[in-house]
Amino acid sequence: MSGYIGIPYKNRGRDRDGLDCWGMAQLWYKEQLGIEIPDYLFAYTSAEDHTSVAEAINIHKKMWEKVEEPEYGDVLVFNIKRMPIHVGIKLKGDDFLHSFQGTNSCLERLSSLSWSRRLFEVYRWVS
């Protein structure tokens, strides 16, 4: 997964020049699983607009199955400021990949204090 570490954060970014959290999910699914998931750019104008991001995340739920235990490749939805507005990709073990405002894309531990208490829901692609 080192090829995904360090990609700059970019609001509404959808390529290796810069990615927001959903852009990272979309790129990873395409390159690692050969699956073209929707980009949802129509659903929000800015990653900083938390209300529209939460609505965009709700839109995608129809194409995903909610699961209790995350497995490799599942999309993790996290609460930020008490709203489900951030996603990451579950990798092997306790790791997940994400791109977060103000940082480059990185690996984090799902069990870390910062992220374990923010995990809201987990989804698996079914469409």
Side-chain angles (χ1 to χ4, degrees):
M1 291 303 113
S2 62
Y4 297 93
I5 308 300
I7 298 172
Y9 176 85
K10 181 180 176 187
N11 185 22
R12 296 172 44 94
R14 293 295 183 267
D15 59 39
R16 289 184 171 274
D17 291 334
L19 300 165
D20 64 11
C21 64
W22 191 259
M24 173 59 75
Q26 186 183 32
L27 179 71
W28 188 90
Y29 262 76
K30 181 179 180 179
E31 292 182 358
Q32 296 299 310
L33 302 178
I35 297 172
E36 297 269 352
I37 62 175
D39 67 18
Y40 298 110
L41 286 173
F42 67 89
Y44 67 98
T45 57
S46 169
E48 286 77 38
D49 178 358
H50 295 168
T51 301
S52 69
V53 170
E55 290 170 3
I57 287 173
N58 280 328
I59 291 168
H60 89 260
K61 289 181 180 181
K62 296 173 186 168
M63 303 169 84
W64 302 79
E65 174 187 9
K66 184 177 175 184
V67 296
E68 294 300 317
E69 290 298 319
E71 294 180 5
Y72 181 83
D74 288 346
V75 171
L76 309 169
V77 179
F78 296 97
N79 280 324
I80 304 293
K81 297 182 181 181
R82 298 184 187 153
M83 295 180 76
I85 60 170
H86 183 62
V87 299
I89 302 295
K90 172 73 168 76
L91 300 178
K92 294 179 183 176
D94 195 32
D95 292 337
F96 74 95
L97 176 68
H98 70 130
S99 183
F100 196 65
Q101 182 179 356
T103 65
N104 292 340
S105 59
C106 61
L107 285 179
E108 303 251 16
R109 297 267 181 204
L110 188 54
S111 63
S112 72
L113 187 56
S114 297
W115 293 104
S116 64
R117 61 191 173 124
R118 292 182 172 160
L119 184 61
F120 178 67
E121 294 175 326
V122 180
Y123 289 90
R124 191 164 296 144
W125 179 255
V126 293
S127 204

